[in-house]
Amino acid sequence: MAPALNIDAIPLDIDLTDDAALDEFLDFGDIEEQYAVHVADQFDTILVIDGVPVVDEGKKEKLFTVIRKQFGKEGVHVKDQPHGFMMPMDAATGKSKGFVFVDFATPADADKALKHLQYFKFDKSHTFFLNKFADVEKYAAVPDQWDEERALGKAPEYVERGFLRDWLLDAGARDQIAVFNKTAVSVMWGNKANGPDVIHERENWTEGYIAWSPRGSYLASVHRMGIALWGGAAMDRLMRFHHPGVRFLDFSPKESYLVTFSPEPLPMPTNPAQPWGPESAGHHVIIWDIRTGHILRSFALTAEEIATKNVPWPLFKWSFDEAYFARIVGNAKLAVYEAPGMGLLDKKSIPIPGITEFEWMPYTPDEDEAAAKDGGKKKQQQNKRVQAPPYTIAYFVPQTGPDQPAQLALMSLPNKQVYRSKQVFFGLSAKIHFQSQGDYLLFKVDRTNRSGKASFVSLEVFRLREKDYPADSVEVKEIMVAFGWEPHGNRFAMITTSDVVSADLDLKAVLAGAPGKMTTHIYQVEAAVEKKGASVVPGGVKLVKAMDRKAVNALYWSPKGRYIVFAGLRNLQGVLEFYDVDATAGEANTATVTTSVNGKTVTSTKEVDPVQLLAATEHHGSSDVAWDPTGRYVMSSVTMWAKGMDNGVMLFDVRGTMLYKHSREQLKQALWRPRPPTLLPKHKQAKVRKNIKQYARDFEIEDATASSALSAAELEERRRLFDAWIQFRSRALLAIEAEDEIVTVLDN
């Protein structure tokens, strides 16, 4: 067949005998297609096995027989000789080169061999390394020079996203609040005097709900087809994550990864626009790289989770630095994965039969920078305390038999070594609570007596900054309603009730605030004291104060510690009680009391109560309470989910003084924007605290100036309204006078 020739395209002055000139106008495509060699077999049945023993020609067949037999044990079939094996020989030595080509009966057999016999130990000196022949050819063809544009395509044009922590530059050091009501989302400044100041507001910003990332860099909105992240000074859309039917989302601690869940399994991809591949089809959970928007890995639910539709959220729990994340699989093992590779640690799960709960320890390196600067290594050594392994998981296994008590354990990673454990008899379930710095750990264990007829709660408190990690037990006979550790402190608080769960009063009603006696408790964990030449004073858990007959069912510690709010939410009418649990800080614990007895003056000392009530107020019908990230303000809110009317927020200062009330019809969410950890080192923070009175005076001057400006603005507005009224009155009088003149003329 002659090549196609486009006569019309040939210039008239071309030399038709010049083959090189005519090639430009000749089309050989049909000839190339006709005589192209189409390889039916793409080598997908051939594997290359490296690590094979070196043998001479006489032992080849015997080696092939042994290898064939080993493959047969795995149900893998090799083609019959002479096509099954091909072993290159060294002509100089007459021996093999240490590798062999194996041709399997089907591609499925080749895949199965690659999966089950990779790293197979043939004998003490030889381990098999298997690769597909097609892969060998593919990788051999990789050019020596990396061409990024050819491999990945042209890089997208860089788009400036702005400073993601722009709100921290506010001159007044204000915090932001995101409010979702009706169909609109608003981002506003949480002013302390004149109400919130809206800076961004959009209709239909979300189809589900909103959530801040842990450090406040991103605002997430939930949509039917996925998640969108917003941020920067203008709250622009920064990234989209396509996950159809998404319901839940969770951020990693440092905002590097996003985890999403949808009850709808991922379909088989049908176009390149879908970010997941065929290996993710049928999965429900995706882990994304926030910066690139790429899928790092997807996960399937267990058969039990699918059958019961009971998926714990968050499904994965992260270590403090995002190096690991983990989940419980089937109450039988703990699966720990490494980031960013997303692979299973040591390629296998940790078997822990019966495990029901686990938590990662928050880790804070014990490095006192102020001591190092002020007193050098000696002073730093004096302040050094015992430090638990940084990657520690606390887990609970309930009692499974009369001779197998419940187990509380601390396990370090990556060596998977249990370095502290405790057995608790008749422990049925537990909740695990770490103090924010990882100094203390509390297991709230639900237990029964030996007969199983009576139940109670056991608090097992571990002191993780002391040698051998001692543990103390506190027995609680009442139902526990709420619990919380003091951040950066050694105290914890809880609320209990004496109500008995019965057919007429179930546990959910009790926890929501059913009529009954609520008691608040504040405990303090004391460390053991060891002095030279004296016996060791053991540490333990001490009850600081208990207050009964309270109408509260929730507690909220300030992010900075010391202050706590006990709240009666939903059914308990919005009671808010503000307490200072360290009122005697920096002062004497005793006070001198002078009384008169029979005309004589008697002086005595009285111990001062460290827990003092600062204010008792209420926000009727409130359903949520939240401290701002700095611990300066408390926001209570009434959402439409709890109450159909009077929706809105109220702002209080740390002493319980109401600053303002802001109404929002059909309020759904009101969320403080979190702050990232401070960049100030410890010695500079100590300097600020030392000079706090000086800073306080500056703040008072700023507040007075702002108040004066506000007063001046109010006076100006009143003056404008008064002038407008005078003008209106004058016009009205003139109109009345004109009307009277017209009537007089008509009468005459």
Side-chain angles (χ1 to χ4, degrees):
M1 181 182 292
L5 180 64
N6 187 353
I7 301 295
D8 296 332
I10 301 177
L12 296 176
D13 58 346
I14 193 171
D15 184 1
L16 297 178
T17 63
D18 187 352
D19 293 338
L22 286 173
D23 282 345
E24 183 178 351
F25 304 97
L26 295 176
D27 181 10
F28 292 93
D30 53 348
I31 297 177
E32 292 175 351
E33 176 64 25
Q34 180 180 355
Y35 294 101
V37 178
H38 299 282
V39 181
D41 185 3
Q42 297 296 322
F43 306 109
D44 52 1
T45 62
I46 300 176
L47 295 184
V48 183
I49 305 178
D50 201 1
V52 176
V54 176
V55 297
D56 55 26
E57 189 71 33
K59 295 183 179 179
K60 268 193 349 179
E61 292 302 326
K62 184 177 181 182
L63 177 62
F64 294 163
T65 302
V66 175
I67 295 176
R68 185 189 297 274
K69 184 177 180 181
Q70 186 60 48
F71 284 148
K73 291 180 180 178
E74 299 293 337
V76 177
H77 304 289
V78 180
K79 287 183 179 178
D80 295 333
Q81 291 294 74
H83 306 292
F85 295 92
M86 199 280 283
M87 178 181 288
M89 305 296 289
D90 190 336
T93 62
K95 293 187 178 182
S96 63
K97 296 183 178 182
F99 62 90
V100 62
F101 297 91
V102 182
D103 195 358
F104 293 88
T106 64
D109 284 331
D111 292 338
K112 190 174 182 180
L114 185 65
K115 179 179 180 181
H116 294 286
L117 292 170
Q118 182 69 283
Y119 310 118
F120 169 70
K121 199 165 184 63
F122 186 75
D123 56 32
K124 292 182 179 180
S125 304
H126 299 88
T127 301
F128 285 179
F129 300 95
L130 282 66
N131 291 282
K132 288 188 175 182
F133 182 75
D135 289 344
V136 174
E137 293 221 330
K138 180 177 69 174
Y139 297 132
V142 174
D144 295 335
Q145 296 295 326
W146 168 252
D147 187 346
E148 183 173 343
E149 184 170 336
R150 180 182 177 185
L152 303 177
K154 189 175 181 180
E157 185 179 352
Y158 174 73
V159 178
E160 177 62 46
R161 294 184 174 180
F163 184 39
L164 294 181
R165 296 179 178 176
D166 177 83
W167 88 99
L168 297 176
L169 302 178
D170 178 58
R174 296 174 295 177
D175 284 290
Q176 290 184 354
I177 305 171
V179 172
F180 178 26
N181 71 300
K182 292 186 175 179
T183 59
V185 174
S186 306
V187 178
M188 56 188 71
W189 291 113
N191 301 327
K192 61 183 178 182
N194 55 342
D197 180 14
V198 177
I199 50 177
H200 303 288
E201 188 167 38
R202 297 176 190 172
E203 288 288 336
N204 303 314
W205 200 338
T206 181
E207 297 178 49
Y209 57 91
I210 56 174
W212 290 108
S213 60
R215 299 189 173 188
S217 301
Y218 308 101
L219 177 66
S221 59
V222 180
H223 306 268
R224 185 176 60 86
M225 296 305 293
I227 304 294
L229 295 188
W230 312 77
M235 272 293 164
D236 296 319
R237 188 177 66 195
L238 305 178
M239 191 66 68
R240 289 184 296 181
F241 304 92
H242 180 47
H243 193 175
V246 64
R247 292 284 183 86
F248 304 131
L249 64 92
D250 181 50
F251 288 91
S252 61
K254 292 187 175 182
E255 303 178 339
S256 299
Y257 310 106
L258 176 68
V259 186
T260 57
F261 165 78
S262 171
E264 305 172 12
L266 291 173
M268 183 66 68
T270 56
N271 62 75
Q274 292 172 316
W276 61 86
E279 70 282 355
S280 297
H283 292 184
H284 297 76
V285 182
I286 300 176
I287 298 183
W288 307 81
D289 186 319
I290 287 181
R291 292 175 180 84
T292 64
H294 294 160
I295 291 179
L296 298 177
R297 184 166 177 178
S298 63
F299 292 86
L301 299 179
T302 64
E304 182 181 358
E305 289 168 341
I306 295 175
T308 61
K309 297 182 180 180
N310 182 20
V311 181
W313 194 258
L315 184 66
F316 294 104
K317 297 179 181 180
W318 296 84
S319 64
F320 70 99
D321 63 351
E322 304 176 338
Y324 301 100
F325 59 99
R327 65 170 296 194
I328 295 174
V329 180
N331 288 351
K333 52 188 177 181
L334 185 67
V336 181
Y337 300 87
E338 297 179 279
M342 302 293 145
L344 198 62
L345 179 63
D346 295 336
K347 299 184 178 180
K348 58 183 179 181
S349 300
I350 306 172
I352 309 177
I355 181 173
T356 59
E357 293 287 336
F358 82 97
E359 292 289 342
W360 288 95
M361 182 186 75
Y363 178 73
T364 52
D366 190 15
E367 183 179 349
D368 195 331
E369 298 181 23
K373 288 181 177 292
D374 297 339
K377 293 184 178 180
K378 184 176 180 180
K379 189 169 184 179
Q380 188 179 14
Q381 187 67 26
Q382 291 174 352
N383 291 336
K384 191 173 183 179
R385 300 175 294 171
V386 174
Q387 182 72 57
Y391 299 111
T392 290
I393 283 181
Y395 66 86
F396 173 79
V397 177
Q399 179 152 339
T400 55
D403 299 325
Q404 294 179 322
Q407 183 182 15
L408 322 176
L410 291 167
M411 178 176 60
S412 63
L413 292 172
N415 59 10
K416 306 176 186 177
Q417 183 179 27
V418 175
Y419 64 88
R420 180 70 167 93
S421 64
K422 183 177 181 179
Q423 293 182 340
V424 177
F425 282 95
F426 309 111
L428 305 180
S429 62
K431 291 295 181 183
I432 303 172
H433 303 274
F434 273 103
Q435 184 253 13
S436 61
Q437 292 178 299
D439 293 347
Y440 308 102
L441 164 64
L442 183 143
F443 286 87
K444 171 192 166 286
V445 185
D446 298 315
R447 302 171 63 183
T448 64
N449 59 8
R450 186 173 294 275
S451 64
K453 296 181 179 180
S455 61
F456 63 96
V457 172
S458 174
L459 305 181
E460 307 295 330
V461 184
F462 291 79
R463 306 197 297 274
L464 303 181
R465 294 285 193 170
E466 298 181 35
K467 185 178 180 181
D468 298 329
Y469 316 108
D472 304 285
S473 297
V474 177
E475 194 172 292
V476 180
K477 296 293 186 182
E478 298 181 330
I479 299 173
M480 185 178 293
V481 178
F483 174 89
W485 276 106
E486 176 190 21
H488 312 287
N490 63 336
R491 290 173 286 239
F492 64 85
M494 61 182 181
I495 301 173
T496 62
T497 178
S498 59
D499 280 329
V500 178
V501 182
S502 63
D504 298 327
L505 186 67
D506 64 7
L507 181 58
K508 290 184 178 179
V510 171
L511 301 182
K517 184 173 65 175
M518 299 287 185
T519 303
T520 60
H521 311 258
I522 297 174
Y523 285 86
Q524 179 172 305
V525 183
E526 297 179 340
V529 178
E530 184 176 356
K531 296 182 179 180
K532 291 184 178 180
S535 58
V536 177
V537 179
V541 180
K542 171 187 175 184
L543 178 64
V544 177
K545 190 169 185 177
M547 298 167 282
D548 58 2
R549 300 186 182 279
K550 295 291 182 181
V552 296
N553 57 2
L555 60 90
Y556 303 90
W557 283 99
S558 164
K560 303 300 180 182
R562 180 169 175 171
Y563 299 100
I564 189 173
V565 174
F566 290 104
L569 303 180
R570 299 180 184 270
N571 296 353
L572 296 184
Q573 308 304 316
V575 173
L576 300 173
E577 295 185 355
F578 293 75
Y579 285 90
D580 181 354
V581 300
D582 202 6
T584 59
E587 302 176 2
N589 294 330
T590 58
T592 302
V593 180
T594 303
T595 57
S596 179
V597 179
N598 298 329
K600 294 182 179 181
T601 301
V602 179
T603 302
S604 60
T605 58
K606 181 182 179 182
E607 187 173 348
V608 179
D609 189 354
V611 180
Q612 293 188 7
L613 177 66
L614 301 176
T617 183
E618 70 175 36
H619 183 185
H620 188 74
S622 60
S623 55
D624 300 280
V625 173
W627 287 85
D628 80 311
T630 64
R632 295 176 295 178
Y633 309 110
V634 176
M635 177 177 64
S636 62
S637 58
V638 179
T639 62
M640 61 176 289
W641 316 116
K643 193 177 180 183
M645 54 189 298
D646 298 330
N647 301 146
V649 300
M650 291 178 68
L651 193 71
F652 303 85
D653 66 11
V654 71
R655 303 189 68 82
T657 303
M658 190 189 79
L659 302 178
Y660 66 77
K661 182 176 181 178
H662 178 66
S663 298
R664 281 269 173 162
E665 188 178 354
Q666 295 182 23
L667 177 66
K668 299 175 182 177
Q669 289 178 277
L671 308 171
W672 286 106
R673 187 172 192 172
R675 285 181 173 235
T678 180
L679 298 177
L680 283 178
K682 291 183 180 180
H683 68 280
K684 289 190 176 181
Q685 295 180 44
K687 185 178 180 180
V688 171
R689 284 191 290 268
K690 184 178 180 181
N691 301 319
I692 192 65
K693 291 184 179 180
Q694 175 186 343
Y695 296 115
R697 285 195 297 269
D698 296 339
F699 294 145
E700 288 171 1
I701 293 173
E702 289 181 10
D703 290 345
T705 303
S707 179
S708 299
L710 182 63
S711 300
E714 288 180 348
L715 290 173
E716 182 64 27
E717 179 66 12
R718 291 178 183 177
R719 191 176 291 111
R720 186 189 66 79
L721 293 174
F722 182 73
D723 292 342
W725 162 249
I726 292 297
Q727 293 176 11
F728 171 78
R729 186 172 181 275
S730 299
R731 290 195 298 269
L733 289 175
L734 290 174
I736 292 173
E737 291 176 359
E739 185 178 353
D740 289 343
E741 290 179 1
I742 294 172
V743 171
T744 301
V745 171
L746 293 176
D747 289 343
N748 293 333

